[in-house]
Amino acid sequence: MASTRNIVGGETTTGNERGRVLTMRDEERAKEDDSPSAKRAKFERFPLTRWELAASLGVFFVFSTGLICIYLTMPAAEYGKLKLPRTISDLRLLKDNLATYANEYPAQFILGYCSTYIFMQTFMIPGTIFMSLLAGALFGVVRGIFLVVFNATAGASSCFFLSKLIGRPLVNWLWPEKLRFFQAEIAKRREKLLNYMLFLRVTPTLPNLFINLASPIVDIPFHIFFLATLLGLIPASYITVRAGLALGDLNSVKDLYDFKTLSVLFLIGSISIFPTLLKRKANI
């Protein structure tokens, strides 16, 4: 049987020849997509508008200006004592240096502490766990928990909106298919999102910084994010603040989360998600 013949570009070709022609065209398109001009065109389609870039830089500028103003109003003797702690030893030294300043200028110290904590949370700067330990060491359990939960919630909310402003367009530009997949998964669990978010906040399953960054990108509503953050951070904040009362007994941050502590956190988290699992089992 004779092969089917087609007209391609004014020339007669067989079916096999037509297939080869189409393959060659696909290869040419792929080369064009990888060409410098194509990459340049993709770069020119950068997803952030000038307004979004200006807004994000403006947020950073406002936070930075506020911190600088607070820093400049401190006594000159305290300048050299300010350093973000990276180890328990650094934290002990910072606590000893700032104890007198915190007692003599409580309002100014709390303002500086809150501004620093929220700044770190907003721009995902590691080290907020040391700030939580410092709250316990300087303010005690009750005031320490209040300060940590307030600052962590405020900072997480700021990070949420900043990620929604510039993070979501970037992820949608870089990984549109993955973004749509995760958004569809979240949409399936819309009625149970609060339980899942509480579980993630209470347990150390995912880093809090990742949750703050990813939540607006996958369409977590802000009211659910806020409520889960406010309630879900209380257990871990209590553990951290209590540990801050006895800094001398800590060798590293890893000592905070031993097997017993992790078991308690996962138990509390399981209680928050248990009604959802029970309802799912009843529907099967």
Side-chain angles (χ1 to χ4, degrees), residues 42 45-53 56 160-177 179 183 213-214 216-219:
K42 183 178 180 181
R45 296 195 301 269
F46 190 68
L48 298 182
T49 64
R50 293 181 179 179
W51 181 88
E52 290 169 336
L53 284 173
S56 58
F160 179 96
F161 287 113
L162 186 63
S163 177
K164 189 172 185 178
L165 177 65
I166 62 175
R168 181 167 179 165
L170 286 173
V171 173
N172 188 43
W173 179 55
L174 295 172
W175 305 288
E177 295 181 359
L179 177 60
Q183 287 174 335
L213 179 66
I217 296 175
V218 296
D219 291 332

PDB file of all heavy atoms in Angstrom, residues 42 45-53 56 160-177 179 183 213-214 216-219:
ATOM      1  N   LYS A  42      12.295  36.527  28.098  1.00  0.00           N
ATOM      2  CA  LYS A  42      11.695  36.063  29.340  1.00  0.00           C
ATOM      3  C   LYS A  42      12.071  36.983  30.490  1.00  0.00           C
ATOM      4  O   LYS A  42      11.254  37.296  31.355  1.00  0.00           O
ATOM      5  CB  LYS A  42      12.160  34.626  29.641  1.00  0.00           C
ATOM      6  CG  LYS A  42      11.506  34.051  30.893  1.00  0.00           C
ATOM      7  CD  LYS A  42      11.943  32.627  31.117  1.00  0.00           C
ATOM      8  CE  LYS A  42      11.274  32.067  32.367  1.00  0.00           C
ATOM      9  NZ  LYS A  42      11.685  30.661  32.645  1.00  0.00           N
ATOM     10  N   ARG A  45      10.068  39.972  30.609  1.00  0.00           N
ATOM     11  CA  ARG A  45       8.718  39.740  31.116  1.00  0.00           C
ATOM     12  C   ARG A  45       8.734  39.530  32.627  1.00  0.00           C
ATOM     13  O   ARG A  45       7.905  38.824  33.170  1.00  0.00           O
ATOM     14  CB  ARG A  45       8.103  38.521  30.427  1.00  0.00           C
ATOM     15  CG  ARG A  45       7.885  38.674  28.940  1.00  0.00           C
ATOM     16  CD  ARG A  45       6.966  37.593  28.397  1.00  0.00           C
ATOM     17  NE  ARG A  45       7.494  36.264  28.638  1.00  0.00           N
ATOM     18  CZ  ARG A  45       8.274  35.603  27.795  1.00  0.00           C
ATOM     19  NH1 ARG A  45       8.629  36.175  26.656  1.00  0.00           N
ATOM     20  NH2 ARG A  45       8.716  34.392  28.076  1.00  0.00           N
ATOM     21  N   PHE A  46       9.702  40.107  33.320  1.00  0.00           N
ATOM     22  CA  PHE A  46       9.809  39.982  34.766  1.00  0.00           C
ATOM     23  C   PHE A  46       8.470  40.335  35.411  1.00  0.00           C
ATOM     24  O   PHE A  46       7.881  41.375  35.095  1.00  0.00           O
ATOM     25  CB  PHE A  46      10.897  40.923  35.277  1.00  0.00           C
ATOM     26  CG  PHE A  46      11.246  40.706  36.712  1.00  0.00           C
ATOM     27  CD1 PHE A  46      11.882  39.546  37.115  1.00  0.00           C
ATOM     28  CD2 PHE A  46      10.927  41.654  37.661  1.00  0.00           C
ATOM     29  CE1 PHE A  46      12.210  39.342  38.441  1.00  0.00           C
ATOM     30  CE2 PHE A  46      11.248  41.458  38.991  1.00  0.00           C
ATOM     31  CZ  PHE A  46      11.890  40.295  39.379  1.00  0.00           C
ATOM     32  N   PRO A  47       7.949  39.466  36.285  1.00  0.00           N
ATOM     33  CA  PRO A  47       6.551  39.585  36.719  1.00  0.00           C
ATOM     34  C   PRO A  47       6.254  40.747  37.644  1.00  0.00           C
ATOM     35  O   PRO A  47       5.105  41.151  37.771  1.00  0.00           O
ATOM     36  CB  PRO A  47       6.306  38.255  37.439  1.00  0.00           C
ATOM     37  CG  PRO A  47       7.646  37.846  37.941  1.00  0.00           C
ATOM     38  CD  PRO A  47       8.603  38.290  36.875  1.00  0.00           C
ATOM     39  N   LEU A  48       7.251  41.298  38.326  1.00  0.00           N
ATOM     40  CA  LEU A  48       6.989  42.374  39.276  1.00  0.00           C
ATOM     41  C   LEU A  48       6.911  43.717  38.559  1.00  0.00           C
ATOM     42  O   LEU A  48       7.772  44.061  37.759  1.00  0.00           O
ATOM     43  CB  LEU A  48       8.076  42.420  40.343  1.00  0.00           C
ATOM     44  CG  LEU A  48       8.221  41.174  41.224  1.00  0.00           C
ATOM     45  CD1 LEU A  48       9.314  41.395  42.254  1.00  0.00           C
ATOM     46  CD2 LEU A  48       6.909  40.822  41.898  1.00  0.00           C
ATOM     47  N   THR A  49       5.880  44.448  38.874  1.00  0.00           N
ATOM     48  CA  THR A  49       5.747  45.783  38.313  1.00  0.00           C
ATOM     49  C   THR A  49       6.631  46.756  39.090  1.00  0.00           C
ATOM     50  O   THR A  49       7.161  46.436  40.151  1.00  0.00           O
ATOM     51  CB  THR A  49       4.283  46.254  38.397  1.00  0.00           C
ATOM     52  OG1 THR A  49       3.902  46.357  39.783  1.00  0.00           O
ATOM     53  CG2 THR A  49       3.358  45.253  37.697  1.00  0.00           C
ATOM     54  N   ARG A  50       6.790  47.930  38.551  1.00  0.00           N
ATOM     55  CA  ARG A  50       7.577  48.947  39.242  1.00  0.00           C
ATOM     56  C   ARG A  50       6.954  49.308  40.581  1.00  0.00           C
ATOM     57  O   ARG A  50       7.660  49.567  41.559  1.00  0.00           O
ATOM     58  CB  ARG A  50       7.695  50.197  38.361  1.00  0.00           C
ATOM     59  CG  ARG A  50       8.521  49.978  37.101  1.00  0.00           C
ATOM     60  CD  ARG A  50       8.608  51.252  36.294  1.00  0.00           C
ATOM     61  NE  ARG A  50       9.420  51.068  35.091  1.00  0.00           N
ATOM     62  CZ  ARG A  50       9.642  52.012  34.188  1.00  0.00           C
ATOM     63  NH1 ARG A  50       9.112  53.229  34.370  1.00  0.00           N
ATOM     64  NH2 ARG A  50      10.378  51.758  33.125  1.00  0.00           N
ATOM     65  N   TRP A  51       5.621  49.322  40.609  1.00  0.00           N
ATOM     66  CA  TRP A  51       4.942  49.641  41.871  1.00  0.00           C
ATOM     67  C   TRP A  51       5.222  48.587  42.923  1.00  0.00           C
ATOM     68  O   TRP A  51       5.451  48.919  44.094  1.00  0.00           O
ATOM     69  CB  TRP A  51       3.432  49.745  41.622  1.00  0.00           C
ATOM     70  CG  TRP A  51       2.672  50.094  42.874  1.00  0.00           C
ATOM     71  CD1 TRP A  51       2.397  51.343  43.335  1.00  0.00           C
ATOM     72  CD2 TRP A  51       2.120  49.169  43.816  1.00  0.00           C
ATOM     73  NE1 TRP A  51       1.704  51.260  44.523  1.00  0.00           N
ATOM     74  CE2 TRP A  51       1.516  49.949  44.842  1.00  0.00           C
ATOM     75  CE3 TRP A  51       2.068  47.784  43.906  1.00  0.00           C
ATOM     76  CZ2 TRP A  51       0.874  49.376  45.937  1.00  0.00           C
ATOM     77  CZ3 TRP A  51       1.430  47.207  44.998  1.00  0.00           C
ATOM     78  CH2 TRP A  51       0.845  47.984  45.992  1.00  0.00           C
ATOM     79  N   GLU A  52       5.196  47.315  42.543  1.00  0.00           N
ATOM     80  CA  GLU A  52       5.458  46.240  43.504  1.00  0.00           C
ATOM     81  C   GLU A  52       6.887  46.292  44.023  1.00  0.00           C
ATOM     82  O   GLU A  52       7.135  46.108  45.220  1.00  0.00           O
ATOM     83  CB  GLU A  52       5.168  44.880  42.849  1.00  0.00           C
ATOM     84  CG  GLU A  52       3.696  44.632  42.607  1.00  0.00           C
ATOM     85  CD  GLU A  52       3.442  43.418  41.737  1.00  0.00           C
ATOM     86  OE1 GLU A  52       4.349  43.040  40.962  1.00  0.00           O
ATOM     87  OE2 GLU A  52       2.327  42.867  41.807  1.00  0.00           O
ATOM     88  N   LEU A  53       7.831  46.552  43.132  1.00  0.00           N
ATOM     89  CA  LEU A  53       9.220  46.683  43.570  1.00  0.00           C
ATOM     90  C   LEU A  53       9.394  47.889  44.495  1.00  0.00           C
ATOM     91  O   LEU A  53      10.072  47.808  45.528  1.00  0.00           O
ATOM     92  CB  LEU A  53      10.134  46.836  42.353  1.00  0.00           C
ATOM     93  CG  LEU A  53      10.422  45.557  41.553  1.00  0.00           C
ATOM     94  CD1 LEU A  53      11.197  45.904  40.288  1.00  0.00           C
ATOM     95  CD2 LEU A  53      11.203  44.561  42.391  1.00  0.00           C
ATOM     96  N   SER A  56       7.835  47.081  47.969  1.00  0.00           N
ATOM     97  CA  SER A  56       8.651  46.182  48.788  1.00  0.00           C
ATOM     98  C   SER A  56       9.896  46.896  49.321  1.00  0.00           C
ATOM     99  O   SER A  56      10.265  46.732  50.491  1.00  0.00           O
ATOM    100  CB  SER A  56       9.060  44.952  47.972  1.00  0.00           C
ATOM    101  OG  SER A  56       9.775  45.328  46.806  1.00  0.00           O
ATOM    102  N   PHE A 160       3.610  37.690  55.500  1.00  0.00           N
ATOM    103  CA  PHE A 160       2.514  37.174  54.671  1.00  0.00           C
ATOM    104  C   PHE A 160       2.190  38.162  53.552  1.00  0.00           C
ATOM    105  O   PHE A 160       2.119  37.791  52.374  1.00  0.00           O
ATOM    106  CB  PHE A 160       1.290  36.934  55.565  1.00  0.00           C
ATOM    107  CG  PHE A 160       0.076  36.419  54.840  1.00  0.00           C
ATOM    108  CD1 PHE A 160      -0.199  35.060  54.797  1.00  0.00           C
ATOM    109  CD2 PHE A 160      -0.802  37.296  54.212  1.00  0.00           C
ATOM    110  CE1 PHE A 160      -1.327  34.591  54.132  1.00  0.00           C
ATOM    111  CE2 PHE A 160      -1.922  36.837  53.547  1.00  0.00           C
ATOM    112  CZ  PHE A 160      -2.189  35.473  53.509  1.00  0.00           C
ATOM    113  N   PHE A 161       1.994  39.431  53.917  1.00  0.00           N
ATOM    114  CA  PHE A 161       1.610  40.426  52.914  1.00  0.00           C
ATOM    115  C   PHE A 161       2.773  40.758  51.978  1.00  0.00           C
ATOM    116  O   PHE A 161       2.557  41.024  50.794  1.00  0.00           O
ATOM    117  CB  PHE A 161       1.093  41.684  53.603  1.00  0.00           C
ATOM    118  CG  PHE A 161      -0.270  41.513  54.218  1.00  0.00           C
ATOM    119  CD1 PHE A 161      -0.433  41.542  55.592  1.00  0.00           C
ATOM    120  CD2 PHE A 161      -1.378  41.295  53.420  1.00  0.00           C
ATOM    121  CE1 PHE A 161      -1.686  41.370  56.167  1.00  0.00           C
ATOM    122  CE2 PHE A 161      -2.642  41.120  53.976  1.00  0.00           C
ATOM    123  CZ  PHE A 161      -2.788  41.163  55.351  1.00  0.00           C
ATOM    124  N   LEU A 162       3.988  40.736  52.504  1.00  0.00           N
ATOM    125  CA  LEU A 162       5.139  40.988  51.636  1.00  0.00           C
ATOM    126  C   LEU A 162       5.308  39.859  50.623  1.00  0.00           C
ATOM    127  O   LEU A 162       5.596  40.103  49.444  1.00  0.00           O
ATOM    128  CB  LEU A 162       6.409  41.124  52.485  1.00  0.00           C
ATOM    129  CG  LEU A 162       7.677  41.526  51.740  1.00  0.00           C
ATOM    130  CD1 LEU A 162       7.518  42.914  51.117  1.00  0.00           C
ATOM    131  CD2 LEU A 162       8.882  41.517  52.679  1.00  0.00           C
ATOM    132  N   SER A 163       5.094  38.619  51.077  1.00  0.00           N
ATOM    133  CA  SER A 163       5.170  37.479  50.169  1.00  0.00           C
ATOM    134  C   SER A 163       4.042  37.519  49.142  1.00  0.00           C
ATOM    135  O   SER A 163       4.239  37.157  47.982  1.00  0.00           O
ATOM    136  CB  SER A 163       5.103  36.173  50.974  1.00  0.00           C
ATOM    137  OG  SER A 163       5.110  35.057  50.107  1.00  0.00           O
ATOM    138  N   LYS A 164       2.878  37.968  49.575  1.00  0.00           N
ATOM    139  CA  LYS A 164       1.761  38.083  48.640  1.00  0.00           C
ATOM    140  C   LYS A 164       2.040  39.143  47.582  1.00  0.00           C
ATOM    141  O   LYS A 164       1.619  39.009  46.421  1.00  0.00           O
ATOM    142  CB  LYS A 164       0.481  38.433  49.403  1.00  0.00           C
ATOM    143  CG  LYS A 164      -0.783  38.374  48.568  1.00  0.00           C
ATOM    144  CD  LYS A 164      -2.017  38.539  49.432  1.00  0.00           C
ATOM    145  CE  LYS A 164      -3.293  38.356  48.613  1.00  0.00           C
ATOM    146  NZ  LYS A 164      -4.509  38.466  49.465  1.00  0.00           N
ATOM    147  N   LEU A 165       2.773  40.174  47.977  1.00  0.00           N
ATOM    148  CA  LEU A 165       3.072  41.269  47.054  1.00  0.00           C
ATOM    149  C   LEU A 165       4.098  40.869  46.007  1.00  0.00           C
ATOM    150  O   LEU A 165       3.896  41.101  44.802  1.00  0.00           O
ATOM    151  CB  LEU A 165       3.578  42.481  47.848  1.00  0.00           C
ATOM    152  CG  LEU A 165       4.012  43.695  47.026  1.00  0.00           C
ATOM    153  CD1 LEU A 165       2.823  44.305  46.290  1.00  0.00           C
ATOM    154  CD2 LEU A 165       4.682  44.731  47.924  1.00  0.00           C
ATOM    155  N   ILE A 166       5.210  40.254  46.431  1.00  0.00           N
ATOM    156  CA  ILE A 166       6.281  39.956  45.481  1.00  0.00           C
ATOM    157  C   ILE A 166       6.585  38.463  45.339  1.00  0.00           C
ATOM    158  O   ILE A 166       7.113  38.038  44.330  1.00  0.00           O
ATOM    159  CB  ILE A 166       7.578  40.698  45.865  1.00  0.00           C
ATOM    160  CG1 ILE A 166       8.074  40.230  47.242  1.00  0.00           C
ATOM    161  CG2 ILE A 166       7.365  42.189  45.853  1.00  0.00           C
ATOM    162  CD1 ILE A 166       9.417  40.821  47.629  1.00  0.00           C
ATOM    163  N   GLY A 167       6.246  37.663  46.357  1.00  0.00           N
ATOM    164  CA  GLY A 167       6.561  36.239  46.294  1.00  0.00           C
ATOM    165  C   GLY A 167       5.664  35.476  45.339  1.00  0.00           C
ATOM    166  O   GLY A 167       6.126  34.653  44.546  1.00  0.00           O
ATOM    167  N   ARG A 168       4.384  35.766  45.399  1.00  0.00           N
ATOM    168  CA  ARG A 168       3.447  35.037  44.544  1.00  0.00           C
ATOM    169  C   ARG A 168       3.688  35.284  43.057  1.00  0.00           C
ATOM    170  O   ARG A 168       3.711  34.330  42.267  1.00  0.00           O
ATOM    171  CB  ARG A 168       2.015  35.405  44.929  1.00  0.00           C
ATOM    172  CG  ARG A 168       0.964  34.694  44.113  1.00  0.00           C
ATOM    173  CD  ARG A 168      -0.387  34.837  44.729  1.00  0.00           C
ATOM    174  NE  ARG A 168      -1.404  34.184  43.928  1.00  0.00           N
ATOM    175  CZ  ARG A 168      -2.619  33.911  44.345  1.00  0.00           C
ATOM    176  NH1 ARG A 168      -2.966  34.210  45.576  1.00  0.00           N
ATOM    177  NH2 ARG A 168      -3.490  33.324  43.577  1.00  0.00           N
ATOM    178  N   PRO A 169       3.869  36.535  42.612  1.00  0.00           N
ATOM    179  CA  PRO A 169       4.165  36.732  41.183  1.00  0.00           C
ATOM    180  C   PRO A 169       5.443  36.021  40.739  1.00  0.00           C
ATOM    181  O   PRO A 169       5.507  35.487  39.628  1.00  0.00           O
ATOM    182  CB  PRO A 169       4.299  38.255  41.062  1.00  0.00           C
ATOM    183  CG  PRO A 169       3.524  38.806  42.201  1.00  0.00           C
ATOM    184  CD  PRO A 169       3.708  37.826  43.308  1.00  0.00           C
ATOM    185  N   LEU A 170       6.452  35.994  41.611  1.00  0.00           N
ATOM    186  CA  LEU A 170       7.707  35.335  41.249  1.00  0.00           C
ATOM    187  C   LEU A 170       7.519  33.831  41.106  1.00  0.00           C
ATOM    188  O   LEU A 170       8.005  33.220  40.143  1.00  0.00           O
ATOM    189  CB  LEU A 170       8.772  35.641  42.306  1.00  0.00           C
ATOM    190  CG  LEU A 170       9.371  37.050  42.285  1.00  0.00           C
ATOM    191  CD1 LEU A 170      10.277  37.254  43.488  1.00  0.00           C
ATOM    192  CD2 LEU A 170      10.141  37.284  40.995  1.00  0.00           C
ATOM    193  N   VAL A 171       6.819  33.212  42.068  1.00  0.00           N
ATOM    194  CA  VAL A 171       6.598  31.763  41.993  1.00  0.00           C
ATOM    195  C   VAL A 171       5.729  31.419  40.791  1.00  0.00           C
ATOM    196  O   VAL A 171       5.966  30.428  40.094  1.00  0.00           O
ATOM    197  CB  VAL A 171       5.963  31.259  43.303  1.00  0.00           C
ATOM    198  CG1 VAL A 171       5.561  29.791  43.183  1.00  0.00           C
ATOM    199  CG2 VAL A 171       6.937  31.431  44.463  1.00  0.00           C
ATOM    200  N   ASN A 172       4.706  32.245  40.535  1.00  0.00           N
ATOM    201  CA  ASN A 172       3.842  31.995  39.383  1.00  0.00           C
ATOM    202  C   ASN A 172       4.609  32.137  38.075  1.00  0.00           C
ATOM    203  O   ASN A 172       4.298  31.473  37.085  1.00  0.00           O
ATOM    204  CB  ASN A 172       2.670  32.982  39.409  1.00  0.00           C
ATOM    205  CG  ASN A 172       1.637  32.669  38.353  1.00  0.00           C
ATOM    206  OD1 ASN A 172       1.275  31.519  38.139  1.00  0.00           O
ATOM    207  ND2 ASN A 172       1.152  33.688  37.681  1.00  0.00           N
ATOM    208  N   TRP A 173       5.615  32.975  38.057  1.00  0.00           N
ATOM    209  CA  TRP A 173       6.451  33.169  36.867  1.00  0.00           C
ATOM    210  C   TRP A 173       7.433  32.020  36.693  1.00  0.00           C
ATOM    211  O   TRP A 173       7.661  31.546  35.572  1.00  0.00           O
ATOM    212  CB  TRP A 173       7.191  34.489  37.021  1.00  0.00           C
ATOM    213  CG  TRP A 173       8.113  34.849  35.893  1.00  0.00           C
ATOM    214  CD1 TRP A 173       7.804  34.945  34.573  1.00  0.00           C
ATOM    215  CD2 TRP A 173       9.504  35.171  36.010  1.00  0.00           C
ATOM    216  NE1 TRP A 173       8.916  35.324  33.857  1.00  0.00           N
ATOM    217  CE2 TRP A 173       9.969  35.471  34.707  1.00  0.00           C
ATOM    218  CE3 TRP A 173      10.389  35.263  37.076  1.00  0.00           C
ATOM    219  CZ2 TRP A 173      11.288  35.840  34.453  1.00  0.00           C
ATOM    220  CZ3 TRP A 173      11.697  35.635  36.832  1.00  0.00           C
ATOM    221  CH2 TRP A 173      12.139  35.914  35.531  1.00  0.00           C
ATOM    222  N   LEU A 174       8.001  31.535  37.798  1.00  0.00           N
ATOM    223  CA  LEU A 174       9.022  30.501  37.722  1.00  0.00           C
ATOM    224  C   LEU A 174       8.438  29.092  37.653  1.00  0.00           C
ATOM    225  O   LEU A 174       8.898  28.252  36.891  1.00  0.00           O
ATOM    226  CB  LEU A 174       9.957  30.609  38.931  1.00  0.00           C
ATOM    227  CG  LEU A 174      10.799  31.892  39.018  1.00  0.00           C
ATOM    228  CD1 LEU A 174      11.513  31.964  40.352  1.00  0.00           C
ATOM    229  CD2 LEU A 174      11.811  31.939  37.876  1.00  0.00           C
ATOM    230  N   TRP A 175       7.420  28.817  38.487  1.00  0.00           N
ATOM    231  CA  TRP A 175       6.865  27.464  38.562  1.00  0.00           C
ATOM    232  C   TRP A 175       5.338  27.515  38.519  1.00  0.00           C
ATOM    233  O   TRP A 175       4.662  27.190  39.504  1.00  0.00           O
ATOM    234  CB  TRP A 175       7.312  26.769  39.849  1.00  0.00           C
ATOM    235  CG  TRP A 175       8.790  26.749  40.027  1.00  0.00           C
ATOM    236  CD1 TRP A 175       9.699  26.007  39.333  1.00  0.00           C
ATOM    237  CD2 TRP A 175       9.556  27.528  40.965  1.00  0.00           C
ATOM    238  NE1 TRP A 175      10.972  26.260  39.773  1.00  0.00           N
ATOM    239  CE2 TRP A 175      10.924  27.184  40.776  1.00  0.00           C
ATOM    240  CE3 TRP A 175       9.236  28.456  41.948  1.00  0.00           C
ATOM    241  CZ2 TRP A 175      11.935  27.760  41.537  1.00  0.00           C
ATOM    242  CZ3 TRP A 175      10.241  29.034  42.691  1.00  0.00           C
ATOM    243  CH2 TRP A 175      11.567  28.683  42.484  1.00  0.00           C
ATOM    244  N   PRO A 176       4.752  27.929  37.402  1.00  0.00           N
ATOM    245  CA  PRO A 176       3.288  28.088  37.335  1.00  0.00           C
ATOM    246  C   PRO A 176       2.523  26.785  37.546  1.00  0.00           C
ATOM    247  O   PRO A 176       1.484  26.774  38.202  1.00  0.00           O
ATOM    248  CB  PRO A 176       3.060  28.653  35.924  1.00  0.00           C
ATOM    249  CG  PRO A 176       4.289  28.254  35.147  1.00  0.00           C
ATOM    250  CD  PRO A 176       5.411  28.261  36.127  1.00  0.00           C
ATOM    251  N   GLU A 177       3.042  25.677  36.984  1.00  0.00           N
ATOM    252  CA  GLU A 177       2.325  24.407  37.117  1.00  0.00           C
ATOM    253  C   GLU A 177       2.319  23.913  38.552  1.00  0.00           C
ATOM    254  O   GLU A 177       1.301  23.434  39.057  1.00  0.00           O
ATOM    255  CB  GLU A 177       2.955  23.358  36.188  1.00  0.00           C
ATOM    256  CG  GLU A 177       2.805  23.694  34.705  1.00  0.00           C
ATOM    257  CD  GLU A 177       3.421  22.626  33.822  1.00  0.00           C
ATOM    258  OE1 GLU A 177       3.968  21.653  34.368  1.00  0.00           O
ATOM    259  OE2 GLU A 177       3.347  22.767  32.587  1.00  0.00           O
ATOM    260  N   LEU A 179       2.593  25.750  41.213  1.00  0.00           N
ATOM    261  CA  LEU A 179       1.742  26.644  41.984  1.00  0.00           C
ATOM    262  C   LEU A 179       0.277  26.259  41.824  1.00  0.00           C
ATOM    263  O   LEU A 179      -0.465  26.195  42.811  1.00  0.00           O
ATOM    264  CB  LEU A 179       1.960  28.087  41.533  1.00  0.00           C
ATOM    265  CG  LEU A 179       1.062  29.131  42.213  1.00  0.00           C
ATOM    266  CD1 LEU A 179       1.281  29.134  43.717  1.00  0.00           C
ATOM    267  CD2 LEU A 179       1.325  30.515  41.633  1.00  0.00           C
ATOM    268  N   GLN A 183      -2.249  25.018  44.815  1.00  0.00           N
ATOM    269  CA  GLN A 183      -3.474  25.786  45.026  1.00  0.00           C
ATOM    270  C   GLN A 183      -4.698  24.887  44.946  1.00  0.00           C
ATOM    271  O   GLN A 183      -5.650  25.044  45.721  1.00  0.00           O
ATOM    272  CB  GLN A 183      -3.569  26.908  43.983  1.00  0.00           C
ATOM    273  CG  GLN A 183      -2.606  28.053  44.235  1.00  0.00           C
ATOM    274  CD  GLN A 183      -2.625  29.081  43.123  1.00  0.00           C
ATOM    275  OE1 GLN A 183      -2.969  28.771  41.969  1.00  0.00           O
ATOM    276  NE2 GLN A 183      -2.250  30.299  43.439  1.00  0.00           N
ATOM    277  N   LEU A 213       6.087  32.379  54.391  1.00  0.00           N
ATOM    278  CA  LEU A 213       6.370  32.700  52.988  1.00  0.00           C
ATOM    279  C   LEU A 213       5.401  32.007  52.035  1.00  0.00           C
ATOM    280  O   LEU A 213       4.935  32.601  51.063  1.00  0.00           O
ATOM    281  CB  LEU A 213       7.804  32.302  52.646  1.00  0.00           C
ATOM    282  CG  LEU A 213       8.278  32.537  51.213  1.00  0.00           C
ATOM    283  CD1 LEU A 213       8.331  34.027  50.924  1.00  0.00           C
ATOM    284  CD2 LEU A 213       9.643  31.909  50.989  1.00  0.00           C
ATOM    285  N   ALA A 214       5.068  30.744  52.312  1.00  0.00           N
ATOM    286  CA  ALA A 214       4.299  29.938  51.368  1.00  0.00           C
ATOM    287  C   ALA A 214       2.791  30.151  51.465  1.00  0.00           C
ATOM    288  O   ALA A 214       2.072  29.946  50.472  1.00  0.00           O
ATOM    289  CB  ALA A 214       4.615  28.454  51.572  1.00  0.00           C
ATOM    290  N   PRO A 216       0.530  32.748  51.605  1.00  0.00           N
ATOM    291  CA  PRO A 216      -0.207  33.557  50.620  1.00  0.00           C
ATOM    292  C   PRO A 216      -0.041  33.059  49.190  1.00  0.00           C
ATOM    293  O   PRO A 216      -0.912  33.288  48.349  1.00  0.00           O
ATOM    294  CB  PRO A 216       0.420  34.950  50.784  1.00  0.00           C
ATOM    295  CG  PRO A 216       1.780  34.691  51.323  1.00  0.00           C
ATOM    296  CD  PRO A 216       1.647  33.498  52.205  1.00  0.00           C
ATOM    297  N   ILE A 217       1.058  32.374  48.927  1.00  0.00           N
ATOM    298  CA  ILE A 217       1.309  31.888  47.567  1.00  0.00           C
ATOM    299  C   ILE A 217       0.338  30.783  47.189  1.00  0.00           C
ATOM    300  O   ILE A 217      -0.074  30.669  46.031  1.00  0.00           O
ATOM    301  CB  ILE A 217       2.768  31.416  47.437  1.00  0.00           C
ATOM    302  CG1 ILE A 217       3.722  32.605  47.635  1.00  0.00           C
ATOM    303  CG2 ILE A 217       3.027  30.771  46.083  1.00  0.00           C
ATOM    304  CD1 ILE A 217       5.182  32.221  47.646  1.00  0.00           C
ATOM    305  N   VAL A 218      -0.058  29.953  48.166  1.00  0.00           N
ATOM    306  CA  VAL A 218      -0.978  28.838  47.879  1.00  0.00           C
ATOM    307  C   VAL A 218      -2.404  29.159  48.308  1.00  0.00           C
ATOM    308  O   VAL A 218      -3.223  28.264  48.515  1.00  0.00           O
ATOM    309  CB  VAL A 218      -0.486  27.540  48.550  1.00  0.00           C
ATOM    310  CG1 VAL A 218       0.832  27.094  47.975  1.00  0.00           C
ATOM    311  CG2 VAL A 218      -0.378  27.701  50.073  1.00  0.00           C
ATOM    312  N   ASP A 219      -2.699  30.442  48.471  1.00  0.00           N
ATOM    313  CA  ASP A 219      -4.068  30.916  48.721  1.00  0.00           C
ATOM    314  C   ASP A 219      -4.628  30.551  50.096  1.00  0.00           C
ATOM    315  O   ASP A 219      -5.812  30.223  50.226  1.00  0.00           O
ATOM    316  CB  ASP A 219      -5.021  30.393  47.630  1.00  0.00           C
ATOM    317  CG  ASP A 219      -4.753  31.035  46.284  1.00  0.00           C
ATOM    318  OD1 ASP A 219      -4.269  32.173  46.265  1.00  0.00           O
ATOM    319  OD2 ASP A 219      -5.018  30.394  45.255  1.00  0.00           O
TER     320      ASP A 219
END
